[in-house]
Amino acid sequence: MSLYRDEAIVLRTHKLGEADRIVTLLSREHGKVRAVGKGVRRTTSRFGSRLEPFMHVDVQLSTGRNLDVVTQAETLGPYGRRIGEDYTLYTAGTVMLETADRLVEAEREPAVQQYWLLVGAVRALATREHAPGLVLDSYLLRALAIAGWAPSFTDCARCGAPGPHHAFAVAVGGAVCGACRPPGAAAPAPDTFALLAALLSGDWAVADASAERHRAEGNGLVAAFCQFHLERRLRSLPMVERV
C-alpha cells in the first residue's frame, strides 16, 4: 500500500454504501483526486466533518486500484461551517467549487494555480473580506484566465485596438471596438468595465468602491462569459443570491 500526503480543498462528496463517502479533492501537488472516506458518515468518525465541501485539509491517502482511500485528515481552514451557515456565501461558494471541478478535468494532473486561487477565494468568502458577489466574480474571471480564457476589458479582444471601448462580446473575448463589434454585443457602462478589470487584476480598492448597479451589470457579463467558455451551464449559478 502506497501512502502519500497533500493539502487539498474538498470540492464535492457523495454517499457510498451505508457509512462511506466518495470525496473529490483539489490538491496542491496531485491535482484532482477522488478518494473514499471509510466510515465518515458515522457519528463516531474521527474526521468525517473535515471531509465536507469547502474544507481546506491536510490529508493522507493510500493509493487504490480505482479510488484512493483517506487515512488521515487534519483541518487547515475550517471554512465549511462558516460558509454553510449563510445562504449567500453558500451559493457563491458552490459555484466556485463547481467551476474548479469543471476546469480541472483530468485527475492526478497538478493544477497548482487553480488550487491556490480556489483556496484564497474560499477563505475570502468565509472571512467576509469583500462582498460575496465580488469574490465570486473575481474568482470566475481569474480561474478562466488561468485556464487560457482571459477576457479583455480595455483593448479590443479581436484586433487589439487600444481602448477603452464601449461594447462587450462574450464570444469574441471581451471588449470590442466599433469596427469589430458583432451584432448583439452588450454595451456596459464605463464603470462596469472598470469594475471587471479590477476584479480580474485583484484591485480591491476599486472593486469595493463600485456601485451596486455596476456590480449587477458586471455579474451578468461574468456569468455569460464563464458559461460560454465552459460550454455548458453551471448548475449552481441560478441559485446564487445577489445582494
Side-chain angles (χ1 to χ4, degrees):
M1 181 175 63
S2 175
L3 295 175
Y4 66 96
R5 200 170 196 97
D6 205 346
E7 295 179 11
I9 190 161
V10 181
L11 298 181
R12 57 188 169 91
T13 67
H14 62 269
K15 296 177 182 178
L16 177 67
E18 295 184 357
D20 302 341
R21 182 176 285 135
I22 295 178
V23 184
T24 301
L25 306 164
L26 179 58
S27 68
R28 184 181 65 183
E29 297 179 6
H30 297 83
K32 189 159 71 175
V33 175
R34 291 198 311 145
V36 177
K38 291 187 176 294
V40 296
R41 289 163 51 207
R42 297 194 181 100
T43 56
T44 55
S45 173
R46 293 174 299 165
F47 51 78
S49 62
R50 300 168 193 165
L51 297 177
E52 294 289 342
F54 306 110
M55 293 296 285
H56 185 207
V57 291
D58 183 318
V59 290
Q60 178 176 280
L61 304 103
S62 63
T63 304
R65 182 173 299 176
N66 296 314
L67 296 171
D68 293 350
V69 177
V70 179
T71 57
Q72 292 181 20
E74 299 295 334
T75 302
L76 297 176
Y79 307 131
R81 175 174 292 182
R82 300 177 195 172
I83 293 175
E85 290 175 343
D86 185 293
Y87 183 77
T88 302
L89 299 182
Y90 177 78
T91 55
T94 300
V95 175
M96 293 179 187
L97 299 187
E98 184 181 354
T99 301
D101 199 9
R102 293 273 188 89
L103 290 175
V104 185
E105 292 185 326
E107 295 185 19
R108 299 184 180 281
E109 290 189 7
V112 179
Q113 288 181 290
Q114 293 288 1
Y115 166 77
W116 284 119
L117 178 65
L118 181 61
V119 170
V122 170
R123 181 188 301 116
L125 201 63
T127 57
R128 297 178 178 272
E129 292 180 19
H130 310 283
L134 294 180
V135 175
L136 171 59
D137 288 342
S138 178
Y139 168 77
L140 292 175
L141 290 172
R142 296 166 85 173
L144 288 168
I146 291 171
W149 297 306
S152 173
F153 297 121
T154 305
D155 298 340
C156 178
R158 175 169 287 169
C159 71
H165 299 296
H166 305 291
F168 184 93
V170 169
V172 177
V176 285
C177 65
C180 296
R181 179 176 182 170
D191 284 346
T192 301
F193 271 120
L195 168 61
L196 293 174
L199 292 174
L200 179 60
S201 65
D203 187 345
W204 287 104
V206 171
D208 289 337
S210 61
E212 184 58 40
R213 65 182 182 276
H214 299 129
R215 296 183 185 187
E217 186 174 43
N219 70 55
L221 296 175
V222 172
F225 188 84
C226 182
Q227 296 191 113
F228 175 83
H229 287 289
L230 290 178
E231 297 183 344
R232 51 181 171 171
R233 291 182 63 81
L234 291 167
R235 291 176 296 175
S236 52
L237 193 57
M239 297 187 296
V240 172
E241 184 173 276
R242 299 286 190 171
V243 179

